[in-house]
């Protein structure tokens, strides 16, 4: 945990040192520390966006394009092969994490690695695997030759104090001359948080140099006193923020508790109302059902009565039709019997006449034979 805190302090101081080195071009540059990537905990140490068309004539910024990503390492840290690829991966994720296609052009990105010593192991790996050669561009600044994406290494121990006083002094032992220059420059920018952050780290690493002469010792005491006062103010401010945060959280909890109680009460009232409505609905439905049953019973009774009357009428009509049919049948029967009787009579008469005629003829024949 202590190491993480120290790294965070070094990151903040180095980022402030880079701001100091580029303060002449501050109007053309936008600085953003710990730029978050997505919704996770991954972040870019320092992101510097350059205004379109701006020219940065500073040794550490001549490589700049639209989006410039910095990976910084503190006093005891170094750029390993893994940390190099991690920073490049973050940069590619930054390029791709945009709402529209190719919003950030790949040739508008640069990588800068700030470290105290030259990362020889990484340089050998890049030469052997990628065929990229590290070429010195200026004192303490190296470019990766033939890289499609511009990449530079800023080696603080090799920087010229005349060009990069604050960044060079931050990670390396300083001389009395550099200490005097730092104090004079600091006096001009007293109250600037960037100078204060860097100066405090430099003083921590070089207290003996600042105590060699009374003038510098007095200035050192002032710086330390300012740092102590600032730290006390910061602690008080942090305590105030914590207290405010605590009471804000308590108020939030109380509000949430009250809202929860109100919500439960409203839910209970809604349930009671729902139950009452349900009871009313059930009562209304029961009454409606009772009325419906009564109406159905009456309708059934009326229907049965109508059916009985209709059945009675049908029975009467059927009996009447039966009587009429019986009467018609009797008349038809009489007519048929009369016709049949007449036919039988006529047939009998015809047979009788024929038989009589036959007998007469037969008798006449017999008589003729006798004569």
């Amino acid at each position: 945990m202590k190491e993480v805190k120290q790294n965070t302090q070094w990151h903040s101081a180095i980022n402030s040192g880079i701001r100091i080195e580029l303060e002449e071009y501050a109007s053309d540059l936008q600085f953003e520390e710990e730029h978050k990537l997505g919704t996770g905990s991954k972040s870019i140490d320092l992101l510097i966006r350059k205004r379109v068309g701006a020219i940065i004539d500073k040794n550490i910024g001549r490589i700049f394009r639209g989006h410039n990503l910095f990976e910084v390492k503190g006093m005891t840290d170094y750029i390993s092969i893994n940390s190099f690829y991690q920073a490049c991966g973050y940069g590619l994720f930054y390029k791709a994490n945009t709402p529209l296609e190719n919003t950030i052009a790949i040739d508008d990105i640069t990588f800068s690695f700030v470290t105290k010593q030259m990362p020889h192991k990484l340089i050998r790996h890049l030469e052997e695997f990628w065929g990229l050669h590290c070429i010195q561009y200026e004192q303490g600044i190296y470019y990766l030759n033939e890289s499609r994406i511009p990449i530079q290494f800023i080696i603080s121990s090799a920087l010229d104090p005349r060009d990069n006083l604050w960044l060079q002094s931050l990670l390396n032992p300083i001389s009395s001359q550099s200490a005097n220059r730092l104090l004079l420059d600091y006096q001009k920018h007293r109250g600037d948080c960037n100078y204060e952050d860097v100066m405090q780290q430099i003083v921590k690493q070089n207290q003996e140099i600042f105590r060699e002469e009374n003038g510098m010792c007095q200035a050192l005491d002032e710086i330390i006193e300012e740092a102590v006062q600032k730290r006390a103010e910061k602690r008080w401010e942090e305590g105030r923020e914590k207290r405010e945060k605590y009471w804000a959280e308590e108020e939030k909890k109380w509000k949430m508790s009250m809202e929860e109680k109100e919500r439960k009460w409203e839910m209970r009232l809604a349930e009671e109302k729902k139950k009452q409505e349900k009871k009313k609905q059930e009562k209304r439905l029961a009454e409606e059902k009772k009325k419906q049953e009564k109406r159905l019973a009456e309708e059934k009774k009326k229907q049965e009565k109508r059916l009985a009357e209709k059945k009675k009428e049908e029975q009467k009509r059927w009996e009447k039709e039966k009587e009429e049919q019986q009467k018609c049948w009797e008349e038809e029967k009489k007519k048929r019997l009369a016709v049949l009787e007449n036919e039988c009579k006529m047939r009998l008469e015809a047979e009788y006449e024929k038989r009589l005629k036959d007998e007469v003829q037969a008798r006449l024949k017999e008589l003729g034979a006798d004569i």
Side-chain angles (χ1 to χ4, degrees):
M1 186 69 182
K2 187 177 179 181
E3 184 179 354
V4 173
K5 187 175 180 181
Q6 289 178 350
N7 288 335
T8 303
Q9 291 175 349
W10 276 112
H11 280 194
S12 178
I14 294 171
N15 291 339
S16 297
I18 294 171
R19 287 174 182 264
I20 293 171
E21 298 293 344
L22 296 170
E23 65 180 352
E24 183 180 350
Y25 307 95
S27 60
D28 295 325
L29 301 173
Q30 180 187 358
F31 296 82
E32 183 181 353
E33 295 184 21
E34 301 298 329
H35 175 81
K36 294 295 182 183
L37 297 172
T39 57
S41 59
K42 297 178 176 58
S43 61
I44 298 170
D45 290 343
L46 178 63
L47 172 64
I48 302 178
R49 297 185 181 92
K50 183 175 72 71
R51 181 175 59 82
V52 177
I55 299 175
I56 310 300
D57 192 20
K58 180 71 176 179
N59 58 353
I60 66 171
R62 292 194 181 101
I63 197 175
F64 281 3
R65 295 185 180 177
H67 304 264
N68 309 282
L69 287 65
F70 277 74
E71 175 76 9
V72 299
K73 297 298 180 181
M75 180 69 75
T76 58
D77 206 355
Y78 68 99
I79 300 174
S80 65
I81 296 174
N82 286 347
S83 61
F84 174 81
Y85 284 117
Q86 184 183 55
C88 292
Y90 287 178
L92 295 177
F93 182 82
Y94 168 78
K95 180 255 182 293
N97 189 31
T98 55
L100 300 177
E101 182 74 14
N102 205 29
T103 302
I104 301 174
I106 191 65
D107 58 358
D108 201 30
I109 294 176
T110 70
F111 292 97
S112 298
F113 296 87
V114 182
T115 183
K116 182 179 179 181
Q117 300 295 337
M118 191 71 176
H120 296 288
K121 187 176 180 180
L122 171 61
I123 298 303
R124 285 196 301 271
H125 167 76
L126 294 174
E127 289 178 355
E128 293 172 0
F129 190 83
W130 294 105
L132 301 176
H133 300 280
C134 195
I135 307 299
Q136 183 174 356
Y137 176 72
E138 289 189 25
Q139 186 173 341
I141 298 177
Y142 296 82
Y143 287 178
L144 274 185
N145 194 23
E146 299 177 357
S147 174
R148 299 293 298 273
I149 301 175
I151 299 175
Q152 70 172 349
F153 293 95
I154 301 174
I155 312 302
S156 65
S157 61
L159 290 172
D160 189 344
R162 293 171 297 181
D163 297 326
N164 307 98
L165 175 64
W166 289 91
L167 195 57
Q168 194 275 338
S169 302
L170 183 59
L171 297 174
N172 303 282
I174 61 175
S175 62
S176 298
Q177 184 180 359
S178 296
N180 282 319
R181 287 183 60 197
L182 288 168
L183 284 173
L184 290 173
D185 200 14
Y186 177 76
Q187 294 297 333
K188 296 176 185 178
H189 300 88
R190 186 184 291 270
D192 189 320
C193 61
N194 292 321
Y195 283 85
E196 289 179 355
D197 288 345
V198 179
M199 194 63 179
Q200 287 177 20
Q201 289 296 330
I202 293 174
V203 168
K204 284 182 184 179
Q205 303 299 324
N206 302 274
Q207 291 188 22
E208 294 181 0
I209 297 296
F210 284 95
R211 293 188 184 279
E212 285 179 356
E213 298 182 10
N214 291 332
M216 284 198 293
C217 183
Q218 184 179 357
L220 176 61
D221 291 338
E222 291 179 0
I223 293 171
I224 293 174
E225 185 179 354
E226 286 180 1
V228 171
Q229 185 178 357
K230 187 176 179 182
R231 193 177 297 112
E233 291 176 355
K234 186 177 180 181
R235 286 179 180 174
W236 185 88
E237 186 68 22
E238 289 177 353
R240 184 180 65 80
E241 290 177 357
K242 287 181 180 178
R243 287 192 297 274
E244 289 179 353
K245 186 178 180 181
Y246 170 78
W247 287 115
E249 289 178 354
E250 288 296 319
E251 184 179 1
K252 187 177 179 181
K253 288 178 182 178
W254 180 79
K255 286 182 179 179
M256 289 177 66
S257 176
M258 293 301 295
E259 288 175 358
E260 183 68 18
K261 287 180 180 179
E262 288 178 1
R263 189 177 65 83
K264 287 182 179 179
W265 179 249
E266 288 176 358
M267 287 177 64
R268 192 177 300 166
L269 287 176
E271 287 177 359
E272 290 294 329
K273 189 176 180 181
K274 193 174 180 180
K275 287 179 181 178
Q276 291 178 2
E277 289 291 334
K278 188 176 180 181
K279 287 181 180 178
K280 288 181 181 179
Q281 185 73 13
E282 289 176 351
K283 186 177 180 181
R284 190 163 56 248
L285 288 173
E287 292 176 355
E288 192 69 27
K289 185 178 179 182
K290 193 174 180 181
K291 289 179 181 179
Q292 187 72 15
E293 288 177 352
K294 187 177 180 181
R295 188 165 57 250
L296 288 173
E298 291 176 355
E299 289 290 333
K300 185 179 180 182
K301 195 173 181 181
K302 288 180 182 179
Q303 186 72 16
E304 288 176 351
K305 187 177 179 180
R306 282 197 300 269
L307 288 173
E309 290 175 354
K310 191 174 181 181
K311 186 177 180 181
K312 191 174 181 182
E313 290 176 359
E314 290 290 332
Q315 184 72 21
K316 287 180 179 180
R317 187 170 63 252
W318 182 78
E319 288 177 356
K320 186 177 180 181
E321 288 178 356
K322 186 178 180 183
E323 288 176 0
E324 290 177 356
Q325 191 174 5
Q326 186 70 25
K327 189 177 180 180
C328 291
W329 173 251
E330 290 294 334
E331 290 177 357
E332 185 70 24
K333 185 178 179 182
K334 287 179 180 181
K335 288 179 181 180
R336 288 185 180 182
L337 286 173
V339 171
L340 185 61
E341 185 178 354
N342 192 23
E343 287 178 355
C344 289
K345 188 177 180 181
M346 289 175 66
R347 192 180 298 159
L348 288 172
E349 288 178 353
E351 288 178 356
Y352 178 74
E353 287 178 359
K354 185 179 180 182
R355 190 181 301 167
L356 183 61
K357 188 177 181 180
D358 291 339
E359 287 179 358
V360 169
Q361 288 179 357
R363 187 71 177 164
L364 289 173
K365 286 181 181 182
E366 289 179 359
L367 289 175
D370 289 338
I371 293 174

